[in-house]
Amino acid sequence: MVYGAGTIDLCCVAKQTEEAYSKGSWRELLIEECGEPLVLVPSDFTHPYYNIDMGLVDDRRVFLRKTVFQMFLIAHAAVKNFGLNLIVYDGWRSVELQENLFWYYLKLFTAPKFGLEDIFSKTRKNLEVKKVFLGLSAEVQEKLRKANCTYVSWPSVDLTKPSPHATGGSIDVWLQDETGTDHLGVPFDWMEENAGAFYHLKEVRPQFEKESDVCMKREILLTSMIEAGFSCLPSEIWHYNYGNQMDSLVTGRVAQYSYIEP
């Protein structure tokens, strides 16, 4: 620890987590569904980002598996000790929303990295992005899909490899101070290297604006969530898992959450 936000060694956590994701595929891991229900997260704890900020869904309700919500409350209390607030931006996610996000971010972030922004420039709706994508060669499709999956899981209701958010075991959270200002150095759903959960631990990197404050707040968030029992997604400082295949990849526990609906 650099800032004393908790008792865990984030460098060790980072090494374990990043090695797990580099060596294995969460999609291949066994799920033994436990039947735990989804619960509705009280609106006092939520900011349904894909409704309020992006308008991709009409429903403002946020659902999580029961245990995941209880763990969130533990992390929420820990964050409060630092004078900050922990908000749920997203939890259980419909496959329809998952697909919309996949095509939205493929156009916005992934296609430009392959020099393909012009091909998608005239698309306005996600279905149009999908149509252009399907018109590309199989080789290019696979490269784009694989790159995009670093940040947005392929939409799936397959009970053996569901989209992580569709299990109710993935949670997207955000830190705020009393004014509602965030302190994580990047916008939510930012898809560049500096959005990574452990990016601030790198010895050589560009500094954040307000470097020490951002790093402190990142460590508060990481430590509070991990000590509550969550594992994190290395590429996203806001995304945490429990009970699903992503969590199993890091912890070695058998996944107990598969696809579920409210």
Side-chain angles (χ1 to χ4, degrees):
M1 292 296 300
V2 177
Y3 296 97
T7 59
I8 62 173
D9 185 335
L10 284 182
C11 291
C12 289
V13 173
K15 182 178 179 180
Q16 176 191 358
T17 305
E18 290 172 343
E19 284 183 353
Y21 275 87
S22 67
K23 294 179 179 178
S25 171
W26 56 265
R27 295 174 180 84
E28 307 304 319
L29 299 178
L30 175 69
I31 304 175
E32 296 180 355
E33 170 62 52
C34 67
E36 183 178 292
L38 292 168
V39 297
L40 179 64
V41 180
S43 59
D44 289 349
F45 296 108
T46 69
H47 176 93
Y49 184 85
Y50 297 117
N51 170 277
I52 294 174
D53 295 78
M54 293 184 66
L56 291 177
V57 289
D58 295 327
D59 196 344
R60 289 198 173 195
R61 295 177 300 170
V62 177
F63 295 93
L64 294 168
R65 294 278 187 154
K66 183 178 180 180
T67 298
V68 175
F69 177 55
Q70 292 170 342
M71 291 166 57
F72 163 77
L73 291 178
I74 294 171
H76 184 273
V79 166
K80 283 288 188 182
N81 289 332
F82 293 93
L84 298 167
N85 194 21
L86 187 64
I87 300 293
V88 182
Y89 269 20
D90 193 32
W92 176 84
R93 188 181 295 169
S94 70
V95 174
E96 178 183 7
L97 174 56
Q98 186 69 37
E99 183 166 6
N100 279 333
L101 289 172
F102 189 88
W103 300 122
Y104 178 87
Y105 285 118
L106 184 140
K107 175 185 176 180
L108 183 64
F109 279 102
T110 305
K113 293 179 179 179
F114 289 84
L116 297 174
E117 58 267 43
D118 289 346
I119 294 177
F120 291 94
S121 63
K122 294 183 179 180
T123 59
R124 295 293 179 266
K125 298 181 179 180
N126 291 323
L127 286 178
E128 295 172 351
V129 177
K130 181 179 180 180
K131 183 177 180 180
V132 171
F133 173 84
L134 293 175
L136 301 172
S137 69
E139 180 182 3
V140 173
Q141 284 187 38
E142 180 58 21
K143 288 181 178 179
L144 283 173
R145 188 193 67 81
K146 185 176 180 180
N148 208 46
C149 280
T150 303
Y151 298 96
V152 189
S153 295
W154 186 259
S156 174
V157 298
D158 187 335
L159 294 179
T160 67
K161 46 187 173 183
S163 303
H165 273 283
T167 69
S170 290
I171 179 173
D172 291 339
V173 294
W174 205 250
L175 271 188
Q176 293 179 340
D177 64 15
E178 65 277 2
T179 68
T181 304
D182 67 76
H183 297 272
L184 300 179
V186 295
F188 179 71
D189 262 2
W190 186 246
M191 296 190 181
E192 300 293 347
E193 184 184 5
N194 58 355
F198 308 111
Y199 177 79
H200 68 285
L201 298 177
K202 292 180 178 292
E203 293 184 3
V204 179
R205 61 168 175 79
Q207 289 198 341
F208 293 107
E209 184 179 355
K210 299 181 179 179
E211 168 76 7
S212 61
D213 187 58
V214 166
C215 291
M216 179 176 66
K217 299 305 190 302
R218 281 177 166 240
E219 296 211 357
I220 290 172
L221 175 57
L222 276 166
T223 302
S224 299
M225 293 297 286
I226 292 169
E227 288 187 341
F230 291 99
S231 59
C232 67
L233 179 63
S235 58
E236 299 177 354
I237 184 66
W238 54 83
H239 180 124
Y240 298 83
N241 299 290
Y242 175 78
N244 58 18
Q245 288 168 304
M246 279 189 167
D247 182 57
S248 181
L249 180 66
V250 176
T251 65
R253 297 186 293 246
V254 175
Q256 57 184 338
Y257 299 154
S258 183
Y259 178 79
I260 191 172
E261 295 183 358

